[in-house]
């Protein structure tokens, strides 16, 4: 018989045992012909093929499909947690150590402390606690426990407070699928020379008679969530490439100043991702004031990562051209890249919809973490924080 989740008072977040399972049969979206039996645990073991994947370049589509069909539970206080296993190889292990301070000891302690904080936070009712999810925040914040907990709290808060942006991230939604099919935003299959995930957005590929700011935000967040559990992207980060050559006043007018402020806040404080660069291509002079306002909302660190290119050739000359779509001087047509990304969306569809069930009491957040996490850390209530070995 499967183990039942224990109460918060009885739960020992540092205990790592074989989790109980409650089998649910998840019927995956079309084009994936076989249903899979997913164990309802926090972190199902990765398939053998995923362990053997290379740490650079694109991942074969069949391996992507195999590793992204798991559905993780949203129980904030599960009976046990599946131990984490490193799968990325020695090269990325060194990158994680040098850039994020990450090693096995720090990682294991940090995961245990975040899980204990979640279990002791009465305002967090439902939340993923599997390693891939928590490592999004730990790697973004370079394993600072207070900052990681604060970002997780902010993430849950903005998701719940802005359902028009964050919920129903469903590739089967006709409006959302039309934006992806049109080529407005697509992650490139191949990574750049630093191992980063490159995401291309093209303003001219939008049908402005069929979109709103909320729908565009949902398309961006769909891409982010599909990619967020990929560990190489967590370690190496992302590069955003935005083709603004056809940015029009009509498109700019879709976004209110409130929307822009909200988006900037989410990017910096609520969405766990290591953004290493914003490449803006062909920005028209009419958008200069808007750009100035947007930049003013960013931190100094992100401002320094904005690069402006007058032409596509200028941009392509700074990139490895072969990873770009054929339309930008590469090899693979954008339509093929879109088709591959949509397969990833379908593979993760059940997981993305399940995350709509995560819940936080908005009356106690944000800010609850700032008052409780630091106090608990100072009082020694969360694990062995003072025993952390840091550089």
């Amino acid at each position: 018989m499967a183990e039942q989740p224990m109460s918060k008072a009885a739960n020992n977040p540092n205990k790592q045992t074989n989790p109980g399972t409650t089998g649910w049969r998840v019927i995956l979206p079309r084009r994936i012909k076989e249903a899979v039996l997913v164990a309802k645990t926090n972190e199902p073991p990765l398939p053998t093929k995923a362990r053997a994947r290379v740490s650079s370049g694109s991942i074969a589509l069949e391996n992507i499909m195999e590793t992204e069909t798991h559905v993780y539970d949203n129980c904030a206080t599960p009976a046990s947690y599946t131990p984490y296993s490193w799968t990325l190889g020695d090269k990325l292990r060194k990158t994680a150590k040098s850039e994020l301070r990450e090693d096995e000891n720090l990682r294991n302690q940090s995961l245990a402390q975040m899980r204990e904080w979640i279990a002791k936070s009465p305002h967090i009712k439902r939340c993923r606690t599997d390693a891939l999810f928590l490592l999004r925040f730990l790697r973004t914040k370079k394993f600072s426990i207070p900052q990681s907990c604060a970002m997780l709290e902010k993430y849950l808060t903005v998701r719940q407070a802005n359902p028009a942006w964050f919920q129903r991230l469903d590739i089967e939604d006709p409006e959302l699928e039309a934006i992806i099919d049109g080529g407005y935003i697509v992650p490139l299959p191949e990574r750049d020379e630093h191992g980063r995930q490159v995401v291309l957005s093209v303003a001219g590929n939008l049908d402005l008679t069929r979109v709103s700011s909320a729908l565009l935000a949902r398309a961006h967040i769909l891409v982010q969530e599909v990619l967020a559990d990929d560990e190489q992207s967590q370690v190496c980060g992302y590069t955003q490439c935005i083709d603004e050559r056809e940015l029009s006043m009509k498109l700019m007018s879709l976004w209110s100043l409130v929307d822009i402020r909200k988006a900037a806040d989410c990017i910096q404080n609520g969405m766990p991702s290591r953004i290493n660069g914003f490449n803006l291509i062909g920005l028209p002079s009419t958008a200069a004031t808007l750009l100035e306002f947007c930049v003013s909302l960013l931190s100094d660190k992100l401002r320094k990562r904005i690069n402006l290119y007058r032409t596509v050739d200028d941009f392509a000359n700074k990139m490895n051209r072969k990873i770009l779509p054929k339309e930008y001087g590469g090899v693979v047509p954008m339509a093929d890249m879109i088709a591959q990304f949509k397969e990833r969306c379908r593979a993760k569809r059940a997981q993305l919809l399940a995350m709509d069930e995560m819940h936080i009491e908005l009356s106690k957040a944000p800010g609850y973490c700032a008052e409780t996490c630091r106090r608990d850390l100072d009082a020694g209530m969360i694990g062995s924080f003072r025993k952390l070995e840091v550089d």
Side-chain angles (χ1 to χ4, degrees):
M1 180 178 296
E3 296 178 10
Q4 298 300 316
M6 300 167 65
S7 67
K8 290 188 178 183
N11 181 38
N12 178 6
N14 293 319
K15 180 181 179 182
Q16 302 216 342
T17 61
N18 291 327
T21 60
T22 302
W24 24 332
R25 191 170 179 79
V26 180
I27 304 301
L28 297 175
R30 63 172 182 257
R31 298 195 186 184
I32 304 176
K33 296 182 179 179
E34 298 180 356
V36 296
L37 184 64
V38 179
K40 192 177 181 182
T41 64
N42 271 66
E43 191 177 354
L46 291 174
T48 301
K49 285 186 179 180
R51 298 189 188 103
R53 68 186 181 184
V54 295
S55 59
S56 61
S58 63
I59 302 171
L61 182 57
E62 58 268 23
N63 286 357
I64 291 174
M65 302 299 288
E66 189 171 0
T67 60
E68 294 189 344
T69 55
H70 296 300
V71 178
Y72 297 93
D73 189 32
N74 292 321
C75 179
T77 57
S80 57
Y81 303 94
T82 302
Y84 173 84
S85 178
W86 180 268
T87 63
L88 296 179
D90 290 339
K91 182 178 179 180
L92 287 179
R93 192 192 304 274
K94 293 177 181 177
T95 300
K97 178 64 176 178
S98 63
E99 295 189 11
L100 309 178
R101 304 186 300 119
E102 179 177 353
D103 58 29
E104 183 177 1
N105 183 51
L106 179 60
R107 181 174 56 243
N108 289 340
Q109 290 185 45
S110 299
L111 287 170
Q113 288 158 17
M114 278 200 77
R115 286 163 172 164
E116 188 166 354
W117 176 77
I118 292 170
K120 291 182 176 181
S121 299
H123 65 310
I124 298 179
K125 301 301 183 182
R126 292 183 62 78
C127 177
R128 282 176 61 181
T129 56
D130 58 276
L132 287 182
F133 180 73
L134 298 183
L135 285 170
R136 297 184 188 184
F137 304 90
L138 288 166
R139 286 167 171 157
T140 298
K141 293 302 181 180
K142 298 187 177 180
F143 287 84
S144 163
I145 303 300
Q147 291 182 32
S148 299
C149 291
M151 175 168 268
L152 171 58
E153 183 184 64
K154 179 74 171 183
Y155 170 83
L156 294 173
T157 300
V158 296
R159 278 187 63 98
Q160 194 162 313
N162 302 281
W165 285 24
F166 286 88
Q167 295 197 359
R168 296 184 303 108
L169 303 178
D170 186 358
I171 193 60
E172 305 295 338
D173 181 321
E175 291 183 321
L176 202 53
E177 186 176 24
I179 290 179
I180 301 300
D181 282 339
Y184 168 64
I185 184 169
V186 60
L188 306 189
E190 297 283 345
R191 298 177 185 271
D192 69 10
E193 64 272 20
H194 303 291
R196 299 167 183 161
Q197 172 69 67
V198 180
V199 179
L200 175 65
S201 179
V202 185
N205 287 345
L206 280 174
D207 181 352
L208 297 181
T209 65
R210 302 176 60 186
V211 299
S212 64
S213 62
L215 187 57
L216 294 181
R218 198 149 60 98
H220 280 276
I221 294 166
L222 168 68
V223 172
Q224 170 63 25
E225 289 290 351
V226 168
L227 303 176
D229 287 339
D230 181 90
E231 291 201 75
Q232 182 170 345
S233 298
Q234 290 180 0
V235 172
C236 298
Y238 299 82
T239 297
Q240 303 284 340
C241 302
I242 308 168
D243 184 348
E244 305 281 30
R245 288 175 297 169
E246 296 184 42
L247 178 63
S248 64
M249 292 299 298
K250 185 174 182 180
L251 175 55
M252 288 187 283
S253 67
L254 292 178
W255 296 86
S256 68
L257 296 183
V258 173
D259 288 335
I260 295 172
R261 287 184 182 276
K262 187 194 306 181
D265 184 41
C266 288
I267 290 171
Q268 296 182 101
N269 304 311
M271 295 297 290
S273 63
R274 302 188 64 223
I275 301 177
N276 299 105
F278 292 98
N279 296 318
L280 306 182
I281 308 164
L283 190 75
S285 58
T286 53
T289 301
L290 177 63
L291 175 63
E292 184 177 352
F293 175 70
C294 293
V295 170
S296 72
L297 301 175
L298 300 178
S299 66
D300 288 339
K301 180 174 67 175
L302 287 181
R303 290 176 191 172
K304 294 175 182 178
R305 296 177 180 178
I306 297 175
N307 304 300
L308 299 178
Y309 298 95
R310 296 187 63 182
T311 67
V312 169
D313 282 341
D314 291 342
F315 161 70
N317 288 336
K318 296 291 185 178
M319 297 284 291
N320 178 0
R321 282 181 178 265
K322 73 176 185 180
I323 74 171
L324 298 175
K326 187 175 183 179
E327 294 82 350
Y328 287 78
V331 177
V332 180
M334 183 179 287
D336 293 350
M337 295 182 176
I338 293 170
Q340 180 172 331
F341 174 63
K342 288 180 68 177
E343 291 294 341
R344 295 188 69 179
C345 291
R346 293 189 176 99
K348 291 191 72 73
R349 180 173 180 261
Q351 174 63 71
L352 297 181
L353 295 177
M355 290 176 69
D356 289 349
E357 299 174 3
M358 293 195 296
H359 183 72
I360 185 172
E361 287 188 359
L362 295 179
S363 61
K364 294 184 178 180
Y368 185 90
C369 174
E371 298 173 4
T372 62
C373 183
R374 294 180 186 277
R375 183 181 66 237
D376 288 352
L377 290 171
D378 290 338
M381 294 174 63
I382 297 183
S384 55
F385 177 74
R386 297 194 181 278
K387 296 179 182 179
L388 279 178
E389 297 178 4
V390 298
D391 296 334

